């Protein structure tokens, strides 16, 4: 009987500790709400599954005043690049292409003709595009891009229109492989390769190559591909403006385009780092290895993945324009994902991650 009481007491203590952590996590989310950021969605999970928590705070639609719900989806924007990069690496594993292939070997004739006006496509490799070192101008940096987005938010962009804009309005950044220069246009180009070699839409091609449905990621879809995922999409804000009705095509063809929720984002990253995406462990190592350049960039970028520091610990992540970030800390074997519906300011790492780690007592780990 005494041993039973001890075990029961330990169970109650464990539940109490979990309850306290959940309360502290919720307070951390609440502290991130502001006039410019009306809502936040967050998930955290340990690699062994012992810690799993998701939370939501704040308002979804400011006009209605409805609360955000934990399972709601959002435009993950450039986090899509991690999925695109992984899909291209799967095509490499299947020997459909090699990373040192010139992009001219794989592009459609239509886009080859457009890009050849500014770029020597024989000298630009797939690896360089994956690492943002091909020298491509980013079409979203053309003033005309956001002028059109805000003046005509329902305008239907095409992949061709975005590539054409990048060629017409921007100069080549530099020689292939000689610099890091983040470019949505490069990943829009890579998105076409996935469609060509799978014979499917970008949504279907990525799901096939990465096995997303087998992983149970039922709320990870390109927008307009699953009605339930679309219906659960939140309102996202930019400089106080509700962008809910902005056409999904502005950021859709590989540079962005996926809708997901924080739990699915974590599950994808966990599958990636636990060896469930690639056939060969060396492929993940290749994905994470940053490029080397004469002038070191501010942030290390591999292939669809940034390497950053969180509380003096190495972490791998990707961020998205509409306030999304997903991150993995190998030292702690912890995954976190967040969406700030109004974005966050400041550094490369979402502030809530550091606050949650503090609540867990995981600060200055490298000094212990």
């Amino acid at each position: 009987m005494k041993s039973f009481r001890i075990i029961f007491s330990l169970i109650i203590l464990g539940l109490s500790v979990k309850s306290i952590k959940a309360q502290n996590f919720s307070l951390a989310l609440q502290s991130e709400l502001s006039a410019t950021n009306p809502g936040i969605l967050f998930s955290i999970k340990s690699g062994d599954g012992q810690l799993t928590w998701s939370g939501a705070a704040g308002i979804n639609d400011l006009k209605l005043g409805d609360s955000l719900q934990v399972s709601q989806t959002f435009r993950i924007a450039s986090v899509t690049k991690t999925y695109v990069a992984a899909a291209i690496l799967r095509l490499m594993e299947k020997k459909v292409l090699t990373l040192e292939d010139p992009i001219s070997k794989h592009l459609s004739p239509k886009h080859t003709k457009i890009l050849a006006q500014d770029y020597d496509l024989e000298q630009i490799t797939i690896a360089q595009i994956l690492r943002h070192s091909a020298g491509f101008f980013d079409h979203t940096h053309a003033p005309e891009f956001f002028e059109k987005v805000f003046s005509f938010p329902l305008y239907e962009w095409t992949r061709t229109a975005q590539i054409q804009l990048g060629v017409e309005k921007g100069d080549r950044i530099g020689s292939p492989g000689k610099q890091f220069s983040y470019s949505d246009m490069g990943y829009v180009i890579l998105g076409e390769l996935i469609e060509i070699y799978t014979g499917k839409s970008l949504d279907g091609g990525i799901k096939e190559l990465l096995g997303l449905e087998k992983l149970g990621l039922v709320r990870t879809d390109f927008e307009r591909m699953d009605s339930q995922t679309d219906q659960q999409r939140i309102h996202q804000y930019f400089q106080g403006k509700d962008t809910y009705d902005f056409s999904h095509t502005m950021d859709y063809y590989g540079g962005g385009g996926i809708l997901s929720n924080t739990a699915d984002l974590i599950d994808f990253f966990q599958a990636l780092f636990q060896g469930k995406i690639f056939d060969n462990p060396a492929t993940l190592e290749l994905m994470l290895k940053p490029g080397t350049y004469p002038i070191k960039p501010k942030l290390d970028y591999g292939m669809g993945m940034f390497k950053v520091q969180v509380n003096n610990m190495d972490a791998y992540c990707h961020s998205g324009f509409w306030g999304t970030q997903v991150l993995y800390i190998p030292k702690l074997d912890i995954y976190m994902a967040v969406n700030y519906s109004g974005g966050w300011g400041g550094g490369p790492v979402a502030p809530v991650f550091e606050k949650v780690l503090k609540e867990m007592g995981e600060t200055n780990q490298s000094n212990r």
Side-chain angles (χ1 to χ4, degrees), residues 113-120 166-172:
K113 183 177 181 180
I114 296 171
L115 287 161
Q117 297 174 57
D118 276 5
Y119 302 96
D120 185 351
V167 169
E168 290 180 353
K169 300 300 180 179
D171 296 327
R172 183 167 59 92

Side-chain angles (χ1 to χ4, degrees), residues 40-321:
I40 186 169
L41 297 165
F42 174 84
S43 289
I44 183 171
K45 188 175 184 179
S46 60
D48 61 9
Q50 293 299 304
L51 170 64
T52 301
W53 187 82
S54 293
I59 302 301
N60 174 30
D61 184 345
L62 290 175
K63 291 182 179 178
L64 297 178
D66 56 328
S67 299
L68 280 174
Q69 302 301 311
V70 171
S71 61
Q72 284 188 274
T73 63
F74 42 85
R75 291 173 171 173
I76 72 171
S78 284
V79 180
T80 300
K81 292 181 175 70
T82 305
Y83 297 74
V84 170
I88 293 292
L89 290 168
R90 287 289 295 127
L91 289 173
M92 177 200 73
E93 287 190 328
K94 291 175 173 290
K95 303 188 185 307
V96 172
L97 50 77
T98 74
L99 298 189
E100 298 312 312
D101 284 347
I103 191 60
S104 58
K105 184 177 178 179
H106 302 283
L107 267 180
S108 66
K110 175 172 63 174
H111 293 148
T112 296
K113 183 177 181 180
I114 296 171
L115 287 161
Q117 297 174 57
D118 276 5
Y119 302 96
D120 185 351
L121 301 179
E122 293 294 328
Q123 300 302 314
I124 295 174
T125 68
I126 292 173
Q128 290 165 352
I129 301 175
L130 285 165
R131 289 198 173 104
H132 294 289
S133 67
F136 286 132
F137 177 75
D138 187 336
H139 67 272
T140 68
H141 290 174
E144 292 84 355
F145 179 76
F146 275 105
E147 285 175 8
K148 179 159 282 188
V149 167
F150 285 104
S151 299
F152 306 99
L154 297 180
Y155 177 78
E156 293 285 308
W157 292 87
T158 64
R159 176 180 282 117
T160 301
Q162 291 180 347
I163 293 173
Q164 187 77 55
L165 181 68
V167 169
E168 290 180 353
K169 300 300 180 179
D171 296 327
R172 183 167 59 92
I173 300 300
S175 300
K178 299 301 183 182
Q179 68 286 301
F180 173 81
S181 184
Y182 191 87
S183 172
D184 268 37
M185 194 167 80
Y187 272 71
V188 167
I189 291 166
L190 293 175
E192 181 176 61
L193 270 59
I194 295 168
E195 293 175 351
I196 288 171
Y197 289 118
T198 61
K200 296 184 175 182
S201 67
L202 192 50
D203 176 81
I206 286 177
K207 286 176 178 174
E208 175 185 294
L209 290 167
L210 304 185
L212 298 186
E213 292 177 340
K214 291 181 180 179
L215 293 172
L217 304 186
V218 295
R219 290 282 78 84
T220 298
D221 303 280
F222 272 76
E223 197 163 339
R224 303 291 174 88
M225 289 294 172
D226 185 286
S227 59
Q228 290 187 46
T229 301
D230 289 344
Q231 288 166 12
Q232 294 181 34
R233 178 167 67 89
I234 68 170
H235 288 248
Q236 292 172 272
Y237 298 85
F238 179 69
Q239 297 180 351
K241 185 178 181 63
D242 189 348
T243 65
Y244 187 83
D245 291 328
F246 282 26
S247 172
H248 64 290
T249 60
M250 65 170 286
D251 183 29
Y252 193 72
Y253 300 101
I258 290 177
L259 294 180
S260 191
N261 57 34
T262 54
D264 265 23
L265 286 173
I266 280 180
D267 286 345
F268 172 67
F269 258 53
Q270 186 174 51
L272 189 63
F273 283 95
Q274 290 185 349
K276 298 175 183 177
I277 300 294
F278 299 128
D279 292 336
N280 188 339
T283 305
L284 179 60
E285 294 177 14
L286 180 62
M287 184 181 195
L288 301 180
K289 184 179 179 180
T292 55
Y293 312 102
I295 299 176
K296 182 175 173 57
K298 293 181 180 179
L299 293 174
D300 289 328
Y301 196 92
M303 297 180 177
M305 193 79 72
F306 283 101
K307 183 179 181 182
V308 296
Q309 286 272 304
V310 182
N311 291 350
N312 298 317
M313 294 176 285
D314 288 338
Y316 295 97
C317 73
H318 213 296
S319 306
F321 182 79

Side-chain angles (χ1 to χ4, degrees), residues 324-345:
T324 301
Q325 188 168 57
V326 55
L327 176 142
Y328 172 57
I329 304 174
K331 186 168 186 176
L332 302 180
D333 197 20
I334 289 287
Y335 302 83
M336 292 185 284
V338 68
N339 177 264
Y340 286 69
S341 64
W344 76 85

Side-chain angles (χ1 to χ4, degrees), residues 17-39:
V17 169
K18 287 182 179 180
S19 177
I20 291 170
K21 279 191 175 181
Q23 290 175 7
N24 291 343
F25 290 169
S26 293
L27 289 174
L29 299 194
Q30 291 286 343
S31 71
E32 291 298 292
L33 300 178
S34 67
T36 57
N37 181 60

